Amino acid sequence: TAELTAELTAELTARKKQYHYYRDLLLTFEEGEVEWKTLGEVCELQRGRRLVKSQLEDIGAFAVYQNSLTPLGYYDKSNVQSETTFIICAGAAGEIGYSKSCIWAADDVHFVVTPDHILNKFVYYVLLTQQHLIFGQVRRASVPRLSKTVLEKLPIPIPPLSEQERIVAILDKFDALTTS
């Protein structure tokens, strides 16, 4: 079983490496190939709303994200639509999440609202390629923090919607392979 575990671990590592390579390749564009804007120019970053711990439940309809990609608890309302990218801005500052279902974003979370010509999931994948830059901008203090201004200044490529859809479909398949 140790040999089998080692083989499976090696296979998973290889798949993740391949996924990152293709993700970066698909999201790299030549000069003049696409328009580049900042995240703040093309999307709206909204901050979540604070909840106190006594408002949270152990189980419930909507996961509450505060300072990590692990839900802090559950709440009976949501403030973020499904299919939305969100960024943790305190604690595990710089972590990037994507929620397929509606969630509650607390006050240390910013979420991305995209216009019709930009897929939210495309923004998610682009931000993942820039995660090292994002982590580099986290203010290290007793509680690590990431400012909204830093996020708004991130460069984002804007290919045609059909190309965004193609890239997202490919990356979703790769993601499913690496996590299955």
Side-chain angles (χ1 to χ4, degrees):
T1 58
E3 188 176 315
L4 184 58
T5 301
E7 283 181 41
L8 289 173
T9 302
E11 175 67 22
L12 183 58
T13 301
R15 281 187 185 189
K16 285 183 178 181
K17 196 172 188 180
Q18 184 181 35
Y19 165 75
H20 289 287
Y21 171 79
Y22 282 109
R23 181 195 66 201
D24 293 350
L25 184 68
L26 284 167
L27 294 169
T28 300
F29 299 94
E30 297 296 321
E31 184 72 33
E33 187 178 0
V34 297
E35 183 179 13
W36 286 82
K37 300 265 186 174
T38 64
L39 183 62
E41 287 177 307
V42 293
C43 298
E44 183 182 349
L45 279 173
Q46 292 186 357
R47 186 176 181 179
R49 287 201 356 233
R50 183 181 175 157
L51 289 176
V52 293
K53 203 143 182 125
S54 63
Q55 293 175 285
L56 301 178
E57 301 291 333
D58 291 335
I59 56 171
F62 304 104
V64 175
Y65 291 92
Q66 171 68 21
N67 53 12
S68 80
L69 292 179
T70 303
L72 185 62
Y74 294 87
Y75 191 56
D76 62 350
K77 296 180 183 116
S78 70
N79 63 355
V80 177
Q81 304 256 339
S82 61
E83 309 294 329
T84 299
T85 301
F86 62 97
I87 304 111
I88 306 298
C89 294
E95 291 290 334
I96 301 162
Y98 184 83
S99 182
K100 293 180 181 178
S101 57
C102 295
I103 62 169
W104 183 274
D107 57 339
D108 286 329
V109 175
H110 283 88
F111 56 95
V112 180
V113 179
T114 55
D116 291 340
H117 69 286
I118 299 176
L119 292 178
N120 208 298
K121 188 86 177 252
F122 178 78
V123 172
Y124 167 72
Y125 284 126
V126 169
L127 290 177
L128 287 178
T129 67
Q130 298 183 24
Q131 193 146 42
H132 66 284
L133 296 172
I134 294 168
F135 283 143
Q137 295 297 314
V138 172
R139 288 189 319 260
R140 304 287 171 200
S142 59
V143 177
R145 296 213 172 270
L146 180 65
S147 75
K148 180 179 178 182
T149 306
V150 165
L151 297 171
E152 290 174 330
K153 291 180 181 178
L154 291 170
I156 301 289
I158 314 293
L161 188 59
S162 60
E163 180 65 3
Q164 293 176 46
E165 290 168 342
R166 184 185 78 81
I167 290 168
V168 166
I170 292 168
L171 292 176
D172 281 349
K173 286 179 189 173
F174 264 110
D175 187 48
L177 281 172
T178 59
T179 56
S180 67

